[in-house]
Amino acid sequence: MKLLRYGEPGQERPGLLDSNGRIRDLTDLIGDLSGTALSPESIAHLQSQDVNSLPLVEGNPRLGPCVGKIGKFICIGLNYADHAAETGADIPKEPIIFNKWTSAIVGPNDNVEIPRNSKKTDWEVELGVVIGKGGRYIDEADALEHVAGYCVINDVSEREFQIERGGTWDKGKGCDTFGPIGPWLVTRDEIADPHQLNLWLEVDGKRYQNGNTRTMIFQIPKLVSYLSQFMSLQPGDVISTGTPPGVGLGIKPEPVFLRAGQTMRLGIEGLGEQQQLTVDA
């Protein structure tokens, strides 16, 4: 099942994509795709519905972030062995954790703003994991039971802010519009193995990233269990699981960074595609 949110920013309504690629409205069943609406019980209830009986949404509305009211937007750094190699970093012994502020979240096709004074805005296609069942101290063997589904995330990053300005990575990761999420949340049952998915990203039609989730250093059960040792995970929390090689920072002999007026296009096998225009903030 492909769940989504559609409508103008701040006024999104819940929906799903039917087998013909049309949006069906879920407003009569859930208030939003957030919190307990993402629980196993709620997902099972939605899956039991006759999709063709749900109201059809006409036209081509904007798609919003596929999860609403996100409580925590947790990210994992250097989680692909081949990406760590391109940056010259050692393989982490434990997951590297940082945050994106929820004010960074936008829809999958919304504009991405190049921050004022930015010189090194970069791209990162990532597999997003959406928590459906909360918990603390989750056993790795049970971790996938806590996952509602998966989505595409562009972990847009300003490298000077992140690396050269002191402190933590967060200041270069959480700028407004730096977290496009969607187009839809694909429920866990539709993805046979989240560790065998191709993912890619292009800028102005040039393919920069071309990877597969099989090269993750820490896989999803490990990440969910590990994070739950340090914080409670709650329904609607989103985990961005790291990026494969091909980021602008790693390009040789000279890094390549984004400027206003460019188009990013990215996707993950089975999870859909995003497209963003870069604009000056």
Side-chain angles (χ1 to χ4, degrees), residues 35-54:
T36 56
L38 298 167
S39 70
E41 297 78 15
S42 177
I43 296 291
H45 179 61
L46 293 176
Q47 289 173 327
S48 72
Q49 303 299 309
D50 175 10
V51 172
N52 293 325
S53 70
L54 297 172

Side-chain angles (χ1 to χ4, degrees), residues 120-154:
K120 299 181 179 180
T121 296
D122 203 349
W123 56 81
E124 294 190 6
V125 59
E126 305 204 0
L127 173 65
V129 175
V130 180
I131 297 298
K133 176 184 175 183
R136 297 175 68 198
Y137 306 114
I138 297 166
D139 288 336
E140 195 169 330
D142 302 327
L144 288 183
E145 296 175 12
H146 292 259
V147 174
Y150 307 100
C151 62
V152 182
I153 294 175
N154 190 353

Side-chain angles (χ1 to χ4, degrees), residues 166-184:
T168 66
W169 287 8
D170 301 326
K171 70 177 72 170
K173 292 287 192 171
C175 301
D176 288 3
T177 76
F178 271 24
I181 297 179
W184 33 75

Side-chain angles (χ1 to χ4, degrees), residues 207-222:
R207 182 71 57 99
Y208 283 97
Q209 291 190 275
N210 218 3
N212 190 286
T213 55
R214 74 172 66 93
T215 68
M216 277 187 183
I217 299 165
F218 304 107
Q219 295 191 331
I220 293 163
K222 172 66 175 181

Side-chain angles (χ1 to χ4, degrees), residues 153-203:
I153 294 175
N154 190 353
D155 175 18
V156 186
S157 309
E158 213 295 342
R159 303 302 189 185
E160 183 191 21
F161 298 177
Q162 174 190 354
I163 299 168
E164 302 173 34
R165 299 281 293 273
T168 66
W169 287 8
D170 301 326
K171 70 177 72 170
K173 292 287 192 171
C175 301
D176 288 3
T177 76
F178 271 24
I181 297 179
W184 33 75
L185 186 165
V186 179
T187 51
R188 191 179 78 237
D189 59 291
E190 287 204 8
I191 303 300
D193 185 352
H195 307 107
Q196 293 291 334
L197 301 177
N198 293 319
L199 62 173
W200 54 272
L201 182 143
E202 299 173 351
V203 179

